[in-house]
Amino acid sequence: MKALQLINYGSISESLKFSEVEKPSISKEDVLIEVKAAAINPIDKSIILGNLQRMLPLTLPCTVAYDVSGIITDLGTDTNDFKVGDFVYARVPQEQMGTLAEYVAVNQFAISKKPANISFEDAAGIPLAMLTALQSFEAANLKRDDRVLVHAGSGGVGTLAIQYAKAKGAYVYTTTSTANVEWVKALGADKVVDYKKEDYKSIVSSVDIVLDTLGGDYSLEAFEVLKKGGIVVSVKGPLDENTAKNIGMTGYKLPETIKQLENDKDAQYKFVFMHPNGHHLNQVRQLVEQTLIKPVTDTVYPFEKSIEAFTHLATGRAKGKIIISFQF
């Protein structure tokens, strides 16, 4: 079968190659998916550039990407909830990375039936970003009428986080650039802050939850707009101590600056590692079918132009998700 593989770490143009590889075999808990579409994400770019070699060691060459939608063509002996011919979508587990191929084997617990009212291309753009948003808000115990700040509202995670929070009844602030203000408002955000013209810290205050998608100084500034007793959930800032312990980092301590800010606001800081979860994707499927969440797709490329798609991703200017389709 055809696949796009990482052959060495470095620049996008020199590190990726189309190859002929064997169709994957499946274990007893796997399904085999004929790939109809895949999405690419910032983590894929970071892997290609070699930025994550210590955290995610790989044996090269290897097929790239995590998000997928497609049709089940084979089932492991211990799969119970799916059948051949089902339309599904997933963010595949790390050990099964490689959705930019004609077929991919995926553990059944990572997949869900695809929302029936959207295309394979739109469905492929949902899993990683939506799971990041959902699991972040789950960690924050999001409730109706909570006031929420979502940074980078026009990004892959931001576009879906805004819609998910609104579907749960929250009041949503978000930040974006001038060119995207009206577009992000249309996603449902209650207050959009143009960070090129305004200081969000002078507009946003006393929120229950900050979803920190940017890290750096934003992780610290989050406490300035947080109400007493609120929570900062980060997907880019420092690890919290429980997360570090769970991944085997003994002796890790939360940076003193964040610990002090936690104490000053009687607040919580949590880091969230997104994990594949078919049950969560099934919840999302229902929200999509109720049109409470709509996928946001920037550009769809044919599989043969996958390297061009990665070049687009590397600009950081996509509004929504970049999709690679096997249906052209």
Side-chain angles (χ1 to χ4, degrees):
M1 68 174 188
K2 294 178 181 178
L4 183 68
Q5 293 202 301
L6 176 65
I7 57 172
N8 54 257
Y9 296 112
S11 68
I12 288 170
S13 61
E14 297 178 355
S15 298
L16 297 172
K17 178 184 177 182
F18 291 99
S19 304
E20 285 288 336
V21 300
E22 292 187 8
K23 185 185 292 188
S25 58
I26 57 173
S27 72
K28 61 184 181 179
E29 291 188 342
D30 287 347
V31 304
L32 186 67
I33 298 174
E34 179 185 359
V35 178
K36 295 299 183 182
I40 56 176
N41 296 280
I43 188 175
D44 302 311
K45 180 191 72 173
S46 295
I47 288 172
I48 292 165
L49 298 179
N51 298 338
L52 300 178
Q53 292 181 63
R54 295 181 66 182
M55 181 181 296
L56 301 174
L58 301 171
T59 301
L60 304 183
C62 67
T63 308
V64 295
Y66 294 98
D67 277 341
V68 66
S69 65
I71 303 173
I72 293 177
T73 60
D74 199 6
L75 301 168
T77 55
D78 288 358
T79 55
N80 302 311
D81 297 331
F82 301 95
K83 64 182 186 299
V84 170
D86 279 346
F87 292 7
V88 294
Y89 72 146
R91 191 284 193 183
V92 305
Q94 176 61 39
E95 62 273 15
Q96 294 180 312
M97 182 186 79
T99 61
L100 280 176
E102 293 180 288
Y103 292 88
V104 63
V106 186
N107 186 289
Q108 64 173 332
F109 298 109
I111 70 173
S112 166
K113 290 184 179 178
K114 179 184 80 66
N117 59 329
I118 61 174
S119 67
F120 283 111
E121 286 78 12
D122 282 342
I126 292 176
L128 187 151
M130 189 70 252
L131 288 173
T132 301
L134 185 155
Q135 290 167 10
S136 295
F137 284 130
E138 188 175 71
N141 191 28
L142 175 69
K143 303 180 295 299
R144 176 170 292 279
D145 296 326
D146 275 350
R147 291 160 58 85
V148 174
L149 170 61
V150 176
H151 276 300
S154 64
V157 173
T159 56
L160 294 174
I162 290 167
Q163 294 182 76
Y164 182 80
K166 288 304 299 178
K168 296 299 180 180
Y171 183 97
V172 180
Y173 295 92
T174 193
T175 58
T176 194
S177 63
T178 307
N180 294 326
V181 169
E182 294 304 318
W183 179 69
V184 171
K185 282 182 182 177
L187 295 175
D190 296 285
K191 177 62 179 176
V192 180
V193 180
D194 179 351
Y195 68 79
K196 290 193 172 183
K197 297 179 178 179
E198 304 167 300
D199 178 2
Y200 77 93
K201 299 188 297 298
S202 68
I203 297 170
V204 182
S205 64
S206 298
V207 297
D208 299 275
I209 301 166
V210 176
L211 175 53
D212 168 30
T213 60
L214 299 173
D217 289 341
Y218 289 94
S219 301
L220 305 177
E221 292 174 358
F223 291 91
E224 295 183 40
V225 300
L226 195 68
K227 77 173 189 179
K228 192 174 181 65
I231 182 167
V232 176
V233 182
S234 182
V235 297
K236 284 289 185 68
L239 300 182
D240 62 60
E241 291 176 5
N242 284 337
T243 299
K245 181 179 179 181
N246 289 339
I247 63 173
M249 293 176 62
T250 57
Y252 173 86
K253 296 295 183 183
L254 185 68
E256 190 59 37
T257 50
I258 290 182
K259 187 178 289 291
Q260 186 61 54
L261 290 167
E262 272 191 315
N263 292 336
D264 291 345
K265 276 287 179 78
D266 190 24
Q268 295 182 69
Y269 173 86
K270 291 185 179 181
F271 184 92
V272 171
F273 271 128
M274 185 282 307
H275 57 276
N277 189 310
H279 174 67
H280 283 164
L281 286 179
N282 193 52
Q283 294 178 33
V284 174
R285 176 186 64 81
Q286 295 173 49
L287 292 172
V288 173
E289 290 179 346
Q290 295 166 24
T291 67
L292 293 173
I293 290 177
K294 297 178 182 179
V296 181
T297 298
D298 181 284
T299 309
V300 178
Y301 291 85
F303 175 59
E304 293 76 15
K305 294 188 176 180
S306 295
I307 296 174
E308 291 181 30
F310 274 102
T311 302
H312 182 179
L313 176 71
T315 68
R317 295 173 183 162
K319 292 168 61 175
K321 301 307 294 289
I322 296 173
I323 310 298
I324 295 170
S325 176
F326 287 73
Q327 300 192 102
F328 281 83

